């Protein structure tokens, strides 16, 4: 239950850490192949975060517009 | 760089903003039409003032002072360290003044993108607050990274990744940023009343004036030619003889996108859909912006075809699968086509490693800009509700916030639509 309430926060954190991984790869990895792999991993984490956020907000929208909603 | 030519191109940019404003107004409901145009004017006013008074010190300009970090043995230029209220900008030669005018116009364009998404339910006060935050914090920060010699612009110089992040006409800096703001807002304020049935199925709420929407597309084209040309000259040292190529690429990309949308909507719905064709047209303009100065005309056609064909599916995906109510399709058109334009500038570039540089730029937009924008919008919503109350939802924004409708003599005769 507690995890459900924090899905948006987890999504935001995934977005941020995905970006941080991509930036860190540029700074710390000299090999172009390793750098590209870590940047791809960072972007993948961002996409996961975006998916979590989008699904949770879609869930909220469905709940708010249900038959018993005042909206 | 030709000062006169660049100034002329910058003067065309407000036409793109006017075109987008007409599109947003026409794609919304008639009961919120005046509100949409008033919101556009307020966004222009707020973003111009906030950017010139504060944002420019964060955005800086190429060669101006900035704050840097040393990480991994290299310098990372993160944020401008300019003076507040543009003090000093005009003393850095004519280019500084031109860049300021360019950025002042384009931040307004980024600011009006979410107005389309929030149509019929986003309050004027919170529109102004959100626009001020965009013009004062998010846009200047990313503009510094890309256009003022920041870390994204120097990816090539410092780390050997292509020639650095390329975004001449602002596919990322203007449109993805505006589109992500629109996405954040759509999440916070939720769908319009009546958009979804109780079981979550979307209903069609057509735009009220499709002629204005299509006229807006034509205005936007003129503005975009100025936008892409001025950005290429100011930030990528494009010579005046490169302008015909930029113009050609912009037009070819837009034309291909428009025709791709005509064909895809014809196949999907049996007839071409006017509002989606307008979205396809603008998605072509948006996708053309990033690489307009470096891609070939053939690549521009391919970029446009993909942008135009994808926009319909993206609009459907957001509406049906994610329950995102975006009346003007701003998220699909600006964020979706913007990301594709950035990627395409890397895919079709002849420089090795350019695609990686573009992906890093997209990662920065998603990883740093979206959390920043969403956090700021949530903070605003905590103190001032972004969405109008239930009465406003029923009345429409014109009557609720302006006290009068846009079309006081407009009467709908129900029996006009009955079969005779």
């Amino acid at each position: 239950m507690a995890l459900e309430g924090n899905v948006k926060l987890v999504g935001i954190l995934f977005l941020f850490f995905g970006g941080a991984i991509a930036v860190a790869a540029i700074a710390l990895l000299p090999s172009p192949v390793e750098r590209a792999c870590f940047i791809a991993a960072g972007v993948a984490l961002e996409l996961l975060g975006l998916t979590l956020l989008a699904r949770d907000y879609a869930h909220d929208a469905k709940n708010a517009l249900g038959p018993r909603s005042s909206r | 760089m030709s000062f006169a030519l660049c100034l002329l191109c910058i003067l065309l940019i407000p036409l793109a903003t006017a075109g987008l404003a007409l599109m947003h107004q026409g794609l919304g409901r008639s009961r919120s039409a005046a509100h949409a145009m008033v919101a556009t004017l307020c966004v222009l006013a707020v973003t111009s003032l906030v950017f010139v008074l504060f944002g420019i010190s964060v955005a800086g300009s190429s060669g101006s002072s900035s704050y840097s970090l040393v990480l991994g043995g290299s310098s990372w230029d993160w944020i401008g360290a300019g003076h507040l209220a543009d003090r000093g900008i005009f003393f850095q030669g004519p280019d500084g003044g031109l860049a300021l005018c360019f950025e002042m116009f384009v931040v307004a364009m980024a600011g009006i993108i979410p107005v389309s998404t929030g149509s019929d339910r986003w309050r004027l006060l919170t529109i102004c607050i959100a626009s001020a935050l965009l013009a004062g914090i998010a846009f200047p920060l990313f503009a510094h990274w890309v256009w003022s010699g920041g870390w994204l612009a120097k990816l090539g110089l410092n780390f050997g990744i292509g020639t650095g992040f390329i975004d001449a006409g602002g596919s990322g800096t203007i449109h993805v940023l505006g589109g992500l703001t629109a996405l954040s807002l759509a999440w916070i304020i939720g769908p319009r009343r009546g958009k979804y049935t109780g079981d979550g199925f979307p209903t069609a709420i057509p735009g009220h004036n499709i002629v204005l929407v299509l006229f807006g597309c034509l205005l936007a084209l003129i503005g975009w030619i100025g936008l892409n040309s001025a950005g290429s000259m100011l930030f990528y040292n494009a010579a005046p003889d490169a302008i015909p190529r930029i113009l050609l690429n912009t037009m070819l990309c837009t034309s291909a996108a428009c025709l791709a949308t005509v064909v895809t909507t014809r196949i999907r719905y049996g007839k071409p859909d006017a509002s989606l064709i307008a979205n396809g047209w603008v998605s072509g303009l948006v996708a053309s912006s990033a690489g307009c100065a470096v891609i070939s005309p053939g690549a521009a056609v391919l970029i446009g075809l993909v942008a135009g064909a994808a926009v319909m599916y993206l609009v459907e995906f957001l509406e049906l699968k994610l329950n995102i109510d975006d009346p003007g399709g701003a998220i699909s058109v600006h964020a979706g086509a913007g990301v594709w334009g950035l990627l395409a500038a890397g895919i079709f570039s002849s420089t090795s490693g350019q695609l990686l540089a573009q992906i890093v730029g997209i990662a920065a937009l998603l990883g740093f800009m979206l959390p920043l924008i969403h956090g700021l919008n949530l903070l605003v919503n905590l103190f001032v509700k972004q969405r109008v109350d239930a009465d406003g939802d029923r009345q429409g924004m014109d009557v609720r916030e302006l006290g009068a409708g846009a079309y006081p003599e407009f009467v709908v005769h129900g029996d006009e639509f009955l079969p005779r």
Side-chain angles (χ1 to χ4, degrees):
Chain A
M1 196 66 185
L3 184 66
E4 275 178 23
N6 290 325
V7 170
K8 291 187 188 73
L9 181 63
V10 172
I12 294 272
L13 288 176
F14 276 17
L15 279 171
F16 177 75
F17 284 117
I21 287 171
V23 170
I26 299 167
L28 303 175
L29 301 173
S31 155
V33 178
E34 287 176 1
R35 195 182 263 178
C37 287
F38 271 83
I39 289 171
V43 172
L45 190 60
E46 286 182 340
L47 292 178
L48 185 61
L50 195 58
T51 308
L52 285 177
L53 262 178
R55 286 186 63 124
D56 204 50
Y57 273 111
H59 187 252
D60 286 356
K62 271 187 183 164
N63 286 345
L65 292 161
R68 275 177 256 169
S69 163
S70 60
R71 215 185 247 177
Chain B
M1 185 185 70
S2 164
F3 180 87
L5 182 61
C6 190
L7 183 63
L8 183 67
C9 291
I10 290 171
L11 289 174
L12 293 177
I13 295 172
L15 290 178
T17 311
L20 290 181
L22 286 181
M23 288 184 68
H24 297 166
Q25 192 255 16
L27 286 170
R29 282 172 167 169
S30 59
R31 64 184 199 170
S32 299
H35 184 269
M37 291 307 274
V38 170
T40 300
L41 294 181
C42 288
V43 168
L44 293 182
V46 169
T47 52
S48 304
L49 284 169
V50 171
F51 183 76
V52 174
L53 293 177
F54 177 73
I56 188 64
S57 62
V58 176
S61 57
S62 195
S64 66
S65 57
S66 58
Y67 296 109
S68 297
L69 297 171
V70 177
L71 193 67
S74 297
S75 171
W76 292 69
D77 187 342
W78 285 97
I79 192 166
H83 298 287
L84 286 178
D86 86 61
R87 210 154 52 83
I89 191 90
F90 292 106
F91 299 104
Q92 294 163 11
D95 291 5
L98 285 176
L100 172 62
C101 293
F102 176 87
E103 289 179 346
M104 183 184 70
F105 284 145
V106 300
V107 72
M109 194 191 288
I112 68 163
I113 292 168
V115 172
S116 167
T117 300
S119 173
D120 217 28
R121 61 210 191 281
W122 195 17
R123 295 171 60 207
L124 198 55
L125 173 64
T126 50
I127 289 175
C128 292
I129 297 172
S131 304
L133 293 172
L134 180 72
I137 301 172
F139 175 85
L141 196 58
F142 199 74
H144 178 78
W145 295 352
V146 180
W147 288 336
S148 302
W151 67 276
L152 279 174
K154 287 182 181 162
L155 283 177
L157 195 68
N158 291 345
F159 304 101
I161 305 177
T163 55
F165 182 67
I166 291 177
D167 188 16
S171 283
T173 318
I174 304 167
H175 300 285
V176 178
L177 208 60
L180 292 178
T181 310
L183 177 64
S184 158
L185 184 87
W187 281 336
I188 291 170
I189 64 176
R192 285 170 291 178
R193 177 187 165 82
K195 176 64 190 173
Y196 291 93
T197 59
D199 52 359
F201 193 77
T203 55
I205 304 178
H208 84 282
N209 194 332
I210 201 66
V211 177
L212 275 187
V213 174
L214 297 173
F215 179 63
C217 290
L218 296 176
L219 271 187
L221 171 68
I222 303 168
W224 237 275
I225 288 168
L227 171 70
N228 288 352
S229 305
S232 302
M233 282 190 276
L234 277 170
F235 307 120
Y236 297 93
N237 299 318
D241 60 5
I243 301 303
R245 176 183 171 142
I246 293 167
L247 198 154
L248 193 70
N249 283 343
T250 307
M251 191 64 213
L252 287 177
C253 188
T254 310
S255 307
C258 176
L259 292 179
T261 316
V262 170
V263 171
T264 46
T265 54
R266 169 73 179 77
I267 292 168
R268 186 130 177 104
Y269 306 122
K271 288 181 180 174
D273 183 284
S275 62
L276 281 171
I277 289 167
N279 280 341
W281 178 270
V282 179
S283 70
L285 290 169
V286 170
S288 76
S289 288
C292 57
V294 293
I295 55 171
S296 66
V301 172
L302 283 174
I303 293 169
L305 285 174
V306 174
V311 76
M312 180 192 74
Y313 295 103
L314 203 50
V315 166
E316 277 191 4
F317 178 75
L318 292 180
E319 186 173 306
L320 296 175
K321 302 288 180 192
L322 300 182
N323 290 87
I324 289 175
D325 181 16
D326 182 9
I331 301 166
S332 313
V333 168
H334 295 278
V339 167
W340 163 239
L342 291 173
L343 276 177
I347 292 168
F348 295 106
S349 168
S350 53
T351 311
S352 166
Q354 191 58 46
L355 181 58
L356 196 62
Q358 300 302 104
I359 291 173
V360 172
I362 294 167
L365 278 162
L366 289 177
F368 304 133
M369 287 296 123
L370 180 56
L372 174 69
I373 290 166
H374 196 51
L376 290 172
N377 280 335
L378 284 172
L379 196 66
V380 171
N381 196 49
L382 204 62
F383 295 104
V384 192
K385 286 290 169 207
Q386 303 242 21
R387 187 186 174 112
V388 73
D389 59 19
D391 283 344
D393 243 342
R394 277 187 284 271
Q395 289 172 330
M397 299 302 281
D398 283 0
V399 170
R400 180 66 180 181
E401 294 221 301
L402 305 178
Y407 309 104
E409 294 173 352
F410 182 74
V411 180
V412 176
H413 299 285
D415 56 354
E416 278 183 5
F417 302 100
L418 294 174
R420 291 174 195 274

